[in-house]
């Protein structure tokens, strides 16, 4: 069975799925990611599926499970790079992937994670004024 | 599928492992490209095939797939037949309901696959097995 590598880039874990995964490979990835989140203390996970030409209900469920597991481990997951034909097919299949954050590419995914983390820190620091938040949101 | 349809030679594969499910996806993709299905229709057909192949493996206890080109005089398409000698499906209406699963899945494989193809026929008998035949036509 092939294994999908998990890379640490700064404080983000990046998973780029480059193979047509057997079900067992998808389950292994779920476990590997949970381990790496704990091991590294990363707060963000990006899963790049731009190389996948289909996402069926098994892979869809795996992505949703990864997102839930990471959240419990204090990390946010963003799925990036879904092809248009895959999105159309997923919706017709009946899978709308609720609870999964998405972005169009890795760069936008990283920006999304950075912004969320920023907001989280700001929430703690209450005397931050609204104008500053607006600037962050617009950037 | 009607009596007038002309079926070319079908390719067959055994479905006995996770890896075989990957092979089914690859075979169906190749066939879908060969009859020039649109990218979205290729994606829909491969996704449906992935769902049905997994069901053949997981619920049917393994089986076979046969796939090939079909022509009805006006259009060409791809026909895929999944067969197993497993337990059969006791309540077909229930099994075709979105979200119904006896195996802890998402319950979208059968119902979703039906939406993703143009023709969908099931022949199932308790204790004898299940045969599912699908066709996707070129537009
Ligand atoms: N080939 C089969 N043989 C026996 N039962 C099947 C077969 N395919 C599907 N089923 C039954 O239909 C149910 C729904 O299938 P599906 O929609 O693919 O959902 P899931 O795979 O998530 O359970 C399965 O849980 C199973 O009970
Ligand atoms: Mg299924």
């Amino acid at each position: 069975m092939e294994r999908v590598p998990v890379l640490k880039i700064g404080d983000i874990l990046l998973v780029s799925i480059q193979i047509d995964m057997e079900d067992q490979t998808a389950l292994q990835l779920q476990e590997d990611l949970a381990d790496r989140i704990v091991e590294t203390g990363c707060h963000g996970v990006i899963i790049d599926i731009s190389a996948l030409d289909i996402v069926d209900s098994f892979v869809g469920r795996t992505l949703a499970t990864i997102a839930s597991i990471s959240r419990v481990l204090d990390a946010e997951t963003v799925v990036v790079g879904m092809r248009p034909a895959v999105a159309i097919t997923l919706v017709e299949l009946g899978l709308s992937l609720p609870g999964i954050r998405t972005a169009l590419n890795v760069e936008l995914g990283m920006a999304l994670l950075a912004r969320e983390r920023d907001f989280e820190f700001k929430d703690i620091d209450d005397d931050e004024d609204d104008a500053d938040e607006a600037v962050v949101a617009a950037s | 599928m009607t009596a007038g349809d002309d079926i070319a030679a079908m390719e067959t594969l055994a479905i006995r492992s996770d890896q075989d499910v990957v092979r089914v996806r690859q075979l169906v993709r190749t066939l879908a490209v060969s009859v020039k299905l649109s990218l979205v229709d290729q994606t829909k057909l491969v996704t449906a095939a992935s769902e049905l192949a997994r069901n053949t493996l997981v619920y049917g206890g393994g089986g076979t797939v046969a796939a090939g080109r079909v022509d009805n005089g006006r259009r060409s398409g791809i026909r895929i037949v999944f067969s197993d000698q497993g337990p059969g499906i006791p309540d077909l209406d229930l099994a075709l309901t979105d979200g119904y699963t006896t195996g802890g899945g998402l319950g979208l494989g059968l119902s979703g696959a039906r939406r993703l193809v143009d023709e969908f026929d099931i022949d199932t008998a308790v204790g004898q097995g299940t045969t599912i035949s699908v066709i996707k036509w070129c537009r």
Side-chain angles (χ1 to χ4, degrees), chain A residues 28-89:
Chain A
Q28 185 67 52
L29 172 61
Q30 201 171 292
E31 272 178 45
D32 289 348
L33 253 177
D35 288 343
R36 290 299 298 280
I37 291 170
V38 171
E39 196 181 289
T40 61
C42 284
H43 295 293
V45 176
I46 291 184
I47 303 180
D48 181 4
I49 60 166
S50 58
L52 292 190
D53 56 23
I54 70 149
V55 170
D56 64 14
S57 69
F58 192 88
V59 171
R61 183 176 60 157
T62 304
L63 293 174
T65 306
I66 287 174
S68 308
I69 294 173
S70 349
R71 204 161 293 139
V72 174
L73 297 173
D74 192 25
E76 195 62 37
T77 300
V78 185
V79 171
V80 308
M82 186 183 293
R83 298 183 184 182
V86 171
I88 292 167
T89 301

Side-chain angles (χ1 to χ4, degrees), chain B residues 34-116:
Chain B
S34 75
V35 295
K36 300 193 170 66
L37 279 179
S38 73
L39 180 60
V40 170
D41 284 344
Q42 285 173 34
T43 307
K44 288 181 179 181
L45 185 63
V46 177
T47 305
S50 184
E51 296 294 346
L52 297 174
R54 183 178 296 105
N55 283 354
T56 299
L57 178 66
V58 174
Y59 300 113
T64 57
V65 63
R69 181 188 174 126
V70 56
D71 283 282
N72 69 0
R74 288 177 300 119
R75 294 191 290 183
S76 341
I78 295 297
R79 177 172 187 241
I80 318 172
V81 183
F82 300 85
S83 322
D84 67 63
Q85 262 123 55
I89 304 175
D91 187 337
L92 203 49
D93 283 341
L94 193 58
L96 280 164
T97 307
D98 274 359
Y100 177 80
T101 177
T102 58
L106 291 177
L108 293 172
L110 271 187
S111 51
R114 181 161 70 165
R115 282 189 290 272
L116 292 172

Side-chain angles (χ1 to χ4, degrees), chain A:
Chain A
M1 183 193 80
E2 285 184 272
R3 219 159 157 149
V4 178
V6 178
L7 308 175
K8 182 173 181 297
I9 297 181
D11 56 358
I12 282 175
L13 294 175
L14 176 67
V15 179
S16 180
I17 304 174
Q18 295 291 332
I19 52 166
D20 187 338
M21 292 187 292
E22 288 174 30
D23 291 1
Q24 205 51 49
T25 303
L27 294 176
Q28 185 67 52
L29 172 61
Q30 201 171 292
E31 272 178 45
D32 289 348
L33 253 177
D35 288 343
R36 290 299 298 280
I37 291 170
V38 171
E39 196 181 289
T40 61
C42 284
H43 295 293
V45 176
I46 291 184
I47 303 180
D48 181 4
I49 60 166
S50 58
L52 292 190
D53 56 23
I54 70 149
V55 170
D56 64 14
S57 69
F58 192 88
V59 171
R61 183 176 60 157
T62 304
L63 293 174
T65 306
I66 287 174
S68 308
I69 294 173
S70 349
R71 204 161 293 139
V72 174
L73 297 173
D74 192 25
E76 195 62 37
T77 300
V78 185
V79 171
V80 308
M82 186 183 293
R83 298 183 184 182
V86 171
I88 292 167
T89 301
L90 260 185
V91 170
E92 195 161 335
L93 187 66
L95 250 181
S96 52
L97 299 181
I100 297 193
R101 313 294 311 264
T102 58
L104 289 183
N105 56 43
V106 173
E107 208 181 337
L108 292 171
M110 290 203 167
L112 176 69
L113 287 174
R115 212 154 56 219
E116 299 231 317
R117 209 61 203 164
D118 221 27
F119 274 128
E120 243 173 72
F121 286 129
K122 288 224 161 90
D123 285 343
I124 300 166
D125 184 14
D126 245 345
D127 47 24
E128 197 73 42
D129 70 292
D130 287 345
D132 268 354
E133 297 235 338
V135 171
V136 174
S139 63

